[in-house]
Amino acid sequence: MNNTSLGVRIKWLSVACFEIDFGGATVVTDPFVTDSTGTELDWTAVEKCDYITLSHMHFDHITDIPKLVEKFDPLVLTGELGARDLCEWINMDP
């Protein structure tokens, strides 16, 4: 979905994963694409990633985070309960 008059581009990738570009910044939500049975895409379908937002820490919302962090070095935003475990998993400084 594109709304050029607002400068917003939204691309659905899988499950709850969207790539949302607005104002030059790109947010990827709940990155689970590669192992999803709902699409033939994988994490390389993400074109840009400045921020990752996570609704919760289930595998079907976080699996592609390590690859995205390695490629784009985004800021990862999530709730307090799972943040420390997530940082340890992807070897990221909280």
Side-chain angles (χ1 to χ4, degrees):
M1 175 177 131
N2 290 313
N3 189 329
T4 54
S5 66
L6 296 176
V8 176
R9 180 184 59 84
I10 301 173
K11 179 170 75 172
W12 177 80
L13 295 166
S14 180
V15 188
C17 184
F18 291 86
E19 183 179 325
I20 306 165
D21 183 76
F22 56 95
T26 302
V27 176
V28 175
T29 64
D30 295 313
F32 174 72
V33 183
T34 301
D35 295 326
S36 174
T37 59
T39 183
E40 293 183 13
L41 299 174
D42 67 15
W43 72 273
T44 62
V46 175
E47 297 173 33
K48 186 178 172 195
C49 181
D50 299 306
Y51 302 91
I52 294 174
T53 61
L54 305 171
S55 60
H56 59 286
M57 295 300 150
H58 289 167
F59 78 95
D60 60 342
H61 292 260
I62 67 170
T63 304
D64 290 319
I65 290 174
K67 293 290 188 186
L68 296 177
V69 166
E70 183 179 324
K71 182 174 181 180
F72 298 106
D73 193 30
L75 182 63
V76 180
L77 305 170
T78 189
E80 181 179 359
L81 291 177
R84 191 156 308 276
D85 290 339
L86 178 67
C87 287
E88 287 178 22
W89 178 55
I90 60 175
N91 195 26
M92 179 181 246
D93 185 8

